[in-house]
Amino acid sequence: MPAVSFDVHEIPFSRRGSWLNVSPVTALHTTSPDLHLVSHQTGMHAVLALVPQRAGQRVETTIEADPAVLTWSVDRGSISAVFETVDTVRLRGNGLELRIADAATALTPFTGTFFFQDPIDGSAIFTSYETGRRYRVTSIRGSLEFDGAEALGASARAVIASGADGWEVAIEEFETARPPYASSTAFDDMVAHVGAQFDAYLQTVAGWRTAASPAAELAAYVLWSASVAPRGFLRRESILMSKHWMDKVWSWDHCFN
């Protein structure tokens, strides 16, 4: 499993191939007190705020991250996140609730997110004007509480994941529609799988590393996590300069990577 850890204020949590990341950096020179699910579809857009809370009140937590898993922790509670696939993030918590909220302050005819409950499976759907994608939150264990479904204008739009014996949810990014979420893979198995993928990449690009090159593993993670799958004008896998605010591909910089 990966031994390297990093500060998400400096390096976002993501995985190879994904156009998503989790970070407090929401725009150029803009940092939020809370981590956000950020999408790089059509630009850099903070879509959902991820706010740990207890009894409805925000809780200050310690945040730790490695290439496979990100964890919020506090006395008597924790929340963990892993990228199940390039477009799906799994989160689970115990002793803490998680408020998953529209990052925009208001819904206008051209900006923000429309939020509703899917009548088919009861999941929460956020439809973003900025990215042109939908973000579906499905409960795997525990319950979801809706706050502001179908609200317009300046209003709360959020879903709260909770459970007396813990909870688990999946957040997916997709274009228009897809079948209801289903997965048979356990959370810990996903963490092990992503960790193994990074380890294989690390061994390929920096198999030469020694104790005298302590930055090699973190540098490999930066490249691995900044890679995105082919989409739009990008016909092959490409490396963004960063999944913080410099989220573009330029020919010279790409050759440098």
Side-chain angles (χ1 to χ4, degrees), residues 169-248:
V169 300
I171 304 178
E172 304 165 88
E173 179 184 65
F174 54 87
E175 291 186 353
T176 305
R178 63 169 52 169
Y181 173 83
S183 176
S184 59
T185 306
F187 189 96
D188 290 336
D189 291 340
M190 291 179 192
V191 173
H193 177 67
V194 176
Q197 286 188 324
F198 173 69
D199 284 345
Y201 179 92
L202 174 63
Q203 188 60 29
T204 299
V205 302
W208 45 263
R209 68 194 186 283
T210 68
S213 52
E217 190 168 358
L218 186 57
Y221 173 73
V222 171
L223 292 176
W224 181 80
S225 63
S227 300
V228 291
R231 181 176 291 275
F233 292 112
L234 302 180
R235 301 295 180 86
R236 293 182 290 181
E237 182 181 55
S238 303
I239 302 175
L240 304 183
M241 291 311 298
S242 171
K243 283 181 181 172
H244 271 161
W245 58 269
M246 199 175 180
D247 65 336
K248 300 293 184 289

Side-chain angles (χ1 to χ4, degrees), residues 26-155:
T26 57
L28 175 62
H29 305 315
T30 303
T31 301
S32 169
D34 297 304
L35 298 190
H36 283 63
L37 182 68
V38 178
S39 176
H40 300 274
Q41 306 282 1
T42 74
M44 179 178 176
H45 304 289
V47 180
L48 298 174
L50 307 173
V51 186
Q53 60 182 38
R54 182 176 284 154
Q57 299 299 311
R58 182 181 179 276
V59 175
E60 289 287 348
T61 61
T62 298
I63 298 169
E64 298 178 318
D66 65 39
V69 64
L70 180 148
T71 302
W72 297 256
S73 59
V74 70
D75 289 345
R76 300 177 291 108
S78 67
I79 298 170
S80 297
V82 61
F83 275 82
E84 177 178 1
T85 66
V86 296
D87 62 14
T88 302
V89 180
R90 281 268 288 271
L91 299 110
R92 71 176 179 186
N94 191 35
L96 288 172
E97 306 155 2
L98 182 65
R99 182 178 180 87
I100 303 167
D102 181 4
T105 57
L107 174 64
T108 77
F110 305 103
T111 63
T113 300
F114 184 68
F115 171 53
F116 65 96
Q117 184 172 16
D118 191 319
I120 296 176
D121 61 5
S123 62
I125 306 287
F126 296 84
T127 302
S128 169
Y129 275 113
E130 280 75 15
T131 68
R133 269 70 177 175
R134 285 182 164 173
Y135 301 84
R136 180 169 63 190
V137 183
T138 302
S139 176
I140 300 168
R141 181 165 57 95
S143 62
L144 295 179
E145 176 188 347
F146 288 73
D147 181 11
E150 301 185 39
L152 304 177
S155 176

